[in-house]
Amino acid sequence: MMKLKIISLAACLAFCTDGMAQKSKSNPAVSSSSVDFYLEQYDFDNAEAQLERNIKMLQRKKQSTEEAEKQLDKIDMARAMLHATERVVFIDSIVTDKATFLDAIKITPESGTLTSYAKFFGTGDSVGSVYLSELGNKIYYSVPTQKADGQGSRKTRIFTSDLLGGQWSKATQVKGLNEDEDQDYPFMLSDGVTLYYGARGEESLGGYDIFVTRYDADNKTFLKPENIGMPFNSPANDYLYAIDEINNLGWLVTDRCQPAGKVCIYIFVPNALRKTYDSEAYSEEELKGLARISSIAATWGDAALMAEARERLEQVMNEKQDVVKPKDFDFVINDDLTYTLVAEFRSPEAQKMASWWKEGQAQLTKSKETLLQLRNAYAQGNESRKQQLKQQILTMEQAYEKLYYGLEEQEVKIRNTEINYLKSSK
């Protein structure tokens, strides 16, 4: 473990150092790239001065200064974040491929499970992630919206779904998040209320930033998300923030100081209460280093805390992780064969019917829930309300019964069709 830490940390910082050396050899011109250069170094004063020169140049050319002025606002945001940098102990770091970094995050099942959209749903999608709750009955996941926006691009949104009667309910978009941003990598704490996610938008410091929001049960929506600040966020892309509450370990995924296609995963000890560095006790350069996570050793303090955290991390890394497998249903074909996915049916006809049957089961579950709500409303209502609900309940009960027996008949037909196909294929 110690060897891994030293090698990975050196890799994290080596590219950052090389990048700084390469960029410093060139004299930054009046361009957005020079602003990015200064921001990467947390040199907000020079970034601001460069932007002001850019704005004057744009004004002379009678071109729009809107984007440059937005960057000035972000610099103000960055300055405020820097002097409110949270005091966090980082114990290790790992460099890995961005495309597969979810596989490198090891958290206990009691804290939920993280996996890719493609693995969970058994699709070929290359984008999106899924968080599965510790009870296995609720998911939060990100996926590009199907409808293109006015610019012809697609926004990534976070959706949620519940496991009801063995079927995942129809996905609903998470309410309360900023509609003008890309949203990805959701992670819900075990309280079922606190949601962390990565977002790229107007309130982000760089590309993606980590935000936190909490569910308001009274209004059935999430509260206004908050940027969690430095050191978790930076002018680079900060994708994911996850907490293993059982082992008291946190995981941060960022591409700061990394080449294209790579990310650095920092493992840290989460704070019960947010504590910040005293800006009067540290120089500006020291604060910048802590905010950038230039050295994880600089965050170390209590030796006993460090030793205990590393021991927990080593145990987690050595534990075998269960693979999250997608599941549509449990469809018994015979005593020796049970399918869990529509795609497992060999017969094209049976597969098509199974897809319809799956949708019918979801509809049946939804109808059952609606009936229960109507019956509860009937039991608690006055006579007038009961008269209003009586016919509605009777009509829905008849529809439910028809659908229920229809699905039973279809199940038998699907099973026989598949069995006959398997026999003929031998």
Side-chain angles (χ1 to χ4, degrees):
M1 172 59 67
M2 180 63 72
K3 185 176 182 182
L4 171 62
K5 177 185 75 64
I6 294 172
I7 293 174
S8 60
L9 181 57
C12 271
L13 298 180
F15 185 82
C16 188
T17 304
D18 290 345
M20 288 170 60
Q22 290 170 7
K23 290 177 180 178
S24 63
K25 290 178 183 177
S26 61
N27 183 21
V30 181
S31 64
S32 60
S33 60
S34 61
V35 174
D36 293 339
F37 166 76
Y38 290 130
L39 286 175
E40 286 171 9
Q41 314 312 313
Y42 288 47
D43 188 349
F44 305 129
D45 290 342
N46 274 323
E48 182 178 52
Q50 184 66 74
L51 273 170
E52 289 173 347
R53 289 193 291 271
N54 290 359
I55 289 172
K56 288 180 180 178
M57 181 187 69
L58 291 168
Q59 288 173 340
R60 286 196 300 271
K61 294 182 177 181
K62 297 184 178 180
Q63 295 178 359
S64 173
T65 61
E66 183 179 356
E67 290 303 316
E69 288 169 356
K70 285 181 180 179
Q71 280 192 291
L72 281 177
D73 291 338
K74 288 186 182 291
I75 288 174
D76 289 338
M77 184 195 308
R79 283 198 181 104
M81 282 187 186
L82 177 64
H83 290 276
T85 298
E86 184 174 353
R87 182 187 290 270
V88 181
V89 175
F90 290 90
I91 61 173
D92 208 338
S93 62
I94 305 166
V95 175
T96 188
D97 292 335
K98 180 180 183 295
T100 57
F101 76 76
L102 289 169
D103 297 334
I105 296 175
K106 313 295 182 183
I107 58 176
T108 56
E110 293 84 355
S111 296
T113 307
L114 285 166
T115 189
S116 68
Y117 183 94
K119 284 185 179 180
F120 189 87
F121 289 104
T123 68
D125 295 82
S126 59
V127 295
S129 64
V130 178
Y131 167 79
L132 175 67
S133 69
E134 69 276 12
L135 297 177
N137 61 354
K138 192 175 188 68
I139 56 174
Y140 289 88
Y141 64 93
S142 55
V143 65
T145 51
Q146 296 302 307
K147 186 177 180 180
D149 64 22
Q151 302 300 316
S153 60
R154 298 194 299 171
K155 295 289 187 183
T156 303
R157 297 281 183 258
I158 294 176
F159 292 81
T160 186
S161 179
D162 297 292
L163 188 63
L164 304 170
Q167 304 288 324
W168 287 108
S169 65
K170 183 179 178 181
T172 57
Q173 187 175 332
V174 170
K175 296 180 180 179
L177 309 188
N178 191 336
E179 286 292 316
D180 296 326
E181 64 188 11
D182 280 306
Q183 306 151 3
D184 211 339
Y185 305 111
F187 185 87
M188 175 67 76
L189 293 187
S190 60
D191 61 9
V193 172
T194 309
L195 176 69
Y196 289 92
Y197 68 99
R200 177 174 57 192
E202 293 295 323
E203 297 181 32
S204 304
L205 178 60
Y208 278 91
D209 272 14
I210 307 298
F211 288 80
V212 63
T213 179
R214 291 169 179 82
Y215 187 68
D216 182 350
D218 293 333
N219 295 314
K220 293 181 169 40
T221 185
F222 281 87
L223 301 174
K224 179 178 172 58
E226 298 177 359
N227 188 307
I228 68 172
M230 296 178 183
F232 302 110
N233 289 323
S234 71
N237 288 299
D238 305 293
Y239 295 110
L240 180 140
Y241 178 102
I243 300 295
D244 182 339
E245 296 174 83
I246 302 300
N247 288 303
N248 196 33
L249 294 172
W251 301 74
L252 169 69
V253 182
T254 176
D255 69 2
R256 65 185 79 174
C257 294
Q258 296 305 307
K262 294 288 185 179
V263 294
C264 185
I265 303 175
Y266 289 98
I267 302 98
F268 62 94
V269 180
N271 294 317
L273 295 173
R274 194 177 195 278
K275 298 174 288 185
T276 62
Y277 287 101
D278 182 356
S279 58
E280 295 183 0
Y282 294 86
S283 69
E284 190 82 0
E285 290 307 310
E286 286 175 326
L287 274 177
K288 289 177 182 179
L290 292 166
R292 292 174 64 192
I293 323 178
S294 296
S295 166
I296 64 172
T299 70
W300 298 347
D302 189 329
L305 182 147
M306 284 292 301
E308 292 170 1
R310 281 180 174 162
E311 184 178 349
R312 296 195 303 272
L313 177 59
E314 187 169 3
Q315 291 174 351
V316 169
M317 297 299 283
N318 291 332
E319 285 178 1
K320 185 178 179 181
Q321 300 290 311
D322 294 330
V323 178
V324 179
K325 296 182 178 179
K327 184 176 180 180
D328 290 332
F329 42 56
D330 287 307
F331 196 104
V332 178
I333 302 300
N334 55 40
D335 292 340
D336 302 316
L337 188 61
T338 299
Y339 293 159
T340 59
L341 294 169
V342 171
E344 290 180 305
F345 283 88
R346 299 276 303 279
S347 164
E349 184 182 355
Q351 188 176 107
K352 188 174 182 180
M353 287 191 293
S355 180
W356 294 337
W357 183 82
K358 174 189 170 185
E359 292 177 5
Q361 288 290 342
Q363 184 180 344
L364 189 71
T365 300
K366 188 174 181 179
S367 297
K368 187 176 181 180
E369 291 175 345
T370 303
L371 260 176
L372 181 61
Q373 292 172 357
L374 289 172
R375 286 167 178 163
N376 288 337
Y378 181 88
Q380 297 171 12
N382 54 32
E383 286 303 316
S384 175
R385 180 61 174 159
K386 286 180 178 180
Q387 288 300 319
Q388 291 175 351
L389 292 173
K390 184 176 180 180
Q391 188 57 49
Q392 187 178 354
I393 292 173
L394 287 173
T395 301
M396 181 157 281
E397 283 176 339
Q398 292 170 357
Y400 178 87
E401 185 176 351
K402 182 179 179 180
L403 178 60
Y404 178 85
Y405 288 113
L407 288 170
E408 278 199 338
E409 292 178 6
Q410 191 177 28
E411 182 179 346
V412 173
K413 187 176 180 180
I414 294 169
R415 182 178 294 109
N416 290 337
T417 301
E418 180 70 6
I419 290 173
N420 291 334
Y421 183 88
L422 294 175
K423 286 180 180 178
S424 65
S425 300
K426 289 183 179 179

